[in-house]
């Protein structure tokens, strides 16, 4: 069936909940001989050897991979991709999951993606690009409301303002360094579509949806994601098909025609408008915490799947996912997303997992005395499956009651609207 060798040394780049979920599934494969993760975290250390490495330095990654005779590299976050780490690895003959620097422009530059959409009639909000805030000033001052003001480059999810007054738009603009994109405001529920491609074959993953706002009821500031569910109750198979055919496949075709084919995971953030799905943005990686619920539902061998994606043989591998639903709830450190308080002690994970959940670690580390402590903003992802979202949700929250951590907070309504 698949041509994946049966004894691979694999390196995962990243150290969050997404990478823990990937490492967890990779380590379960009989084809995985050795698993390393840079930098990893305290939870990943239970599945993989965690190593220190400058993961956004292409030469350093190639040197490490050569020294450790790594067969396959899986790149979790966008920063190494945007820095050209996948290009350097491919040039060195190493199998890698993740797009080239040129293809990572889909995430690294909103202006690039908007121009591509315009050129190929891919549905997205009407927009104008500006070289800098000063050039955009008049346009934002008189734009019909609401007006959406975005930094063109990577901003860790913080570069977007949906302004309901022109003054608010101008204030957002004043914060932006470098190129700017100003957009029409789209209305509708949001949904995400994930695919994996080797550059030719496209495998659509189950739908998943994160909860971006900090507080219950979708209140408070945007975060990296406070929880996720899969399947997404909003992205029906019909809408998913439309989004694939009108947005994702034309994008992949356009990237190929430019001579910069996309390989790896592509995440399309969509607005489900009255006129159909429209593209909000691309990410050139799996979502975090969406990967956690997708990996919870994955039934087939992840090494086989990722090896196929990395070696142009995805046509021979069809991933299988459980029909069960999955829910993940993020436990974040107090003060997240502004000033997370780190160093607080966490206990009770074994008792939580005894109920049948998987607790993925995001920002954790072990002290010299062996205590588990918070070491980042998002700290734990309590992940459960069930026949439907409400069953998975009930299990996740029941398990969370076993976790003893006074330094954390979490949303109580993940998956509730489903
Ligand atoms: P982005 O970083 O581009 O995903 O934007 C972050 C969030 O801003 C999205 O998840 C949407 O909630 C919102 N957003 C971005 N662009 C638009 C738009 N054109 N219309 C309405 N909301 C938007
Ligand atoms: N959960 C949103 C992201 O990974 O960008």
């Amino acid at each position: 069936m698949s041509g994946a060798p049966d004894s691979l040394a694999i390196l995962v780049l990243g150290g969050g909940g997404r990478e823990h979920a990937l490492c967890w599934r990779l380590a379960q494969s009989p084809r995985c001989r050795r698993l390393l993760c840079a930098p990893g975290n305290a939870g990943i250390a239970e599945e993989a050897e965690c190593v220190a490495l400058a993961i956004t330095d292409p030469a350093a990654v190639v040197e490490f991979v050569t020294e450790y005779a790594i067969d396959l590299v899986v790149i979790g976050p966008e920063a190494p991709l945007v820095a050209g780490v996948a290009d350097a690895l491919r040039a060195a003959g190493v199998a890698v999951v993740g797009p080239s620097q040129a293809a990572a422009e889909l995430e690294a530059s909103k202006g690039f993606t908007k121009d591509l959409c315009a050129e190929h009639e891919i549905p997205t909000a009407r927009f104008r690009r500006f070289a800098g805030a000063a050039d955009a000033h008049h346009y934002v001052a008189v734009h019909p409301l609401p007006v959406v003001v975005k930094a063109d480059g990577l901003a860790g999810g913080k570069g977007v303002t949906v302004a309901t007054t022109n003054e608010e738009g101008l204030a957002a603009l004043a914060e932006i360094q470098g190129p700017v994109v100003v957009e029409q405001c789209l209305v509708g529920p949001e949904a995400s579509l994930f695919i994996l491609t080797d550059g030719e074959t496209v495998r659509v993953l189950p739908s998943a949806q994160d909860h971006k706002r900090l507080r219950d009821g979708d209140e408070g500031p945007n975060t990296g994601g406070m929880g996720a569910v899969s399947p997404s109750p909003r992205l029906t198979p019909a809408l998913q098909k439309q989004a694939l055919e009108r947005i994702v496949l034309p994008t992949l075709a356009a990237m190929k025609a430019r001579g910069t084919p996309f390989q790896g995971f592509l995440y399309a953030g969509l607005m489900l408008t009255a006129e159909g799905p429209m593209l909000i943005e691309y990410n050139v990686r799996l979502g975090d915490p969406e990967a956690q619920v997708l990996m919870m539902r994955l039934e087939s061998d992840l090494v086989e799947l990722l090896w196929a994606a990395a070696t142009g043989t995805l046509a021979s591998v069809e991933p299988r996912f459980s029909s069960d639903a999955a829910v993940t709830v993020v436990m974040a450190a107090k003060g997240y997303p502004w000033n997370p308080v780190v160093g607080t002690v966490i206990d009770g994970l074994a008792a939580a997992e005894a109920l049948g959940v998987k607790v993925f670690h995001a920002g954790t580390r072990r002290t010299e005395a062996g205590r588990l402590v918070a070491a980042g903003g998002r700290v734990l992802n309590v992940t459960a499956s069930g026949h439907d979202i409400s069953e998975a949700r009930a299990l996740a929250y029941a398990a969370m009651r076993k976790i003893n951590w006074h330094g954390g907070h979490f949303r109580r309504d993940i998956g509730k609207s489903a």
Side-chain angles (χ1 to χ4, degrees):
M1 235 221 40
S2 131
D6 54 17
S7 178
L8 292 172
I10 303 171
L11 171 67
V12 174
L13 300 186
R18 168 183 50 209
E19 288 76 26
H20 189 184
L22 289 168
C23 285
W24 175 62
R25 282 301 187 208
L26 289 168
Q28 287 170 354
S29 167
R31 296 176 190 277
C32 182
R33 181 182 84 252
R34 185 171 186 193
L35 183 61
L36 298 101
C37 184
N41 61 40
I44 293 174
E46 287 165 28
E47 335 271 353
E49 300 164 56
C50 294
V51 292
L53 173 61
I55 66 169
T56 56
D57 177 345
V61 176
V62 169
E63 192 185 332
F64 180 91
V65 158
T66 310
E67 187 183 330
Y68 283 81
I70 301 291
D71 302 295
L72 173 67
V73 180
V74 180
I75 303 180
E78 64 277 15
L81 297 164
V82 173
V85 168
D87 307 69
L89 288 167
R90 280 194 196 98
V94 181
V96 53
V97 180
S100 66
Q101 187 171 41
E105 280 289 279
L106 286 173
E107 177 166 354
S109 168
K110 294 186 192 292
F112 170 86
T113 300
K114 297 298 285 190
D115 281 349
L116 190 96
C117 288
E119 193 180 330
H120 297 274
E121 295 178 7
I122 294 167
T124 191
R126 285 195 307 278
F127 71 101
R128 282 268 306 266
R129 297 179 71 173
F130 298 92
D135 304 307
H137 194 275
H138 178 70
Y139 190 75
V140 172
V142 301
H143 194 286
L145 299 169
V147 55
V148 182
V149 179
K150 301 185 174 186
D152 181 273
L154 294 181
K158 295 182 194 79
V160 175
T161 301
V162 181
T164 49
T165 66
N166 294 95
E167 291 67 32
E168 196 190 336
L170 290 173
L173 193 59
E175 298 290 310
I176 298 177
Q177 321 268 316
V180 177
V181 174
V182 182
E183 288 184 8
Q184 157 210 19
C185 185
L186 299 175
V187 181
E190 290 180 46
S192 305
L193 176 61
F194 297 89
I195 62 108
L196 174 65
T197 179
D198 63 358
E200 288 291 333
T201 301
V202 176
R203 296 299 185 203
V204 181
L205 307 184
S207 61
Q209 189 58 50
D210 75 347
H211 294 55
K212 283 205 171 63
R213 300 299 195 101
L214 181 66
R215 285 189 271 280
D216 286 11
D218 291 330
E219 306 273 347
N222 266 325
T223 70
M226 293 300 290
V229 302
S230 177
S232 159
R234 299 171 186 160
L235 197 66
T236 61
L239 286 173
Q240 176 157 323
K241 184 163 181 285
Q242 269 186 22
L244 188 69
E245 288 173 357
R246 296 183 192 170
I247 298 174
V248 173
L249 295 181
T251 300
L252 296 175
M255 293 304 283
K256 201 189 283 180
R258 296 172 64 91
T260 56
F262 187 92
Q263 184 260 52
F265 290 103
L266 183 63
Y267 161 164
L270 306 170
M271 193 73 87
L272 305 177
T273 73
E275 290 87 54
M278 296 180 83
L279 180 70
I280 299 174
E281 62 153 4
Y282 279 123
N283 295 303
V284 298
R285 51 175 173 80
L286 279 174
D288 185 343
E290 294 93 326
Q292 288 82 315
V293 282
L294 293 175
M295 288 304 110
M296 196 70 190
R297 294 183 62 197
L298 180 71
E299 288 181 334
S300 44
D301 186 318
L302 185 60
V303 173
E304 206 168 274
L305 181 67
L306 295 186
W307 178 261
T311 57
T313 56
L314 197 54
S316 68
V317 179
E318 182 108 50
R320 282 190 326 278
F321 289 87
S322 164
S323 58
D324 281 355
V327 170
T328 190
V329 184
V330 171
M331 296 183 88
K334 284 185 182 150
Y336 175 77
W338 300 283
N339 292 303
V341 178
V342 299
T344 48
V345 174
I346 304 164
D347 267 320
L349 297 197
E353 289 196 327
L355 294 185
V357 304
K358 178 71 189 171
V359 181
F360 295 118
H361 294 223
T364 63
R365 68 179 178 83
R366 277 206 192 272
T367 63
E368 269 167 38
R371 303 302 299 269
L372 187 68
V373 296
R378 292 186 292 176
V379 174
L380 299 171
N381 313 140
V382 180
T383 310
S385 57
H387 289 115
D388 54 27
I389 287 175
S390 77
E391 196 182 295
R393 169 184 147 71
L395 180 56
Y397 281 104
M400 288 172 79
R401 285 197 282 275
K402 304 285 182 192
I403 297 177
N404 249 313
W405 178 33
H406 298 298
H409 67 90
F410 55 89
R411 277 181 62 163
R412 287 161 204 281
D413 65 346
I414 302 301
K416 196 171 182 181
S417 60

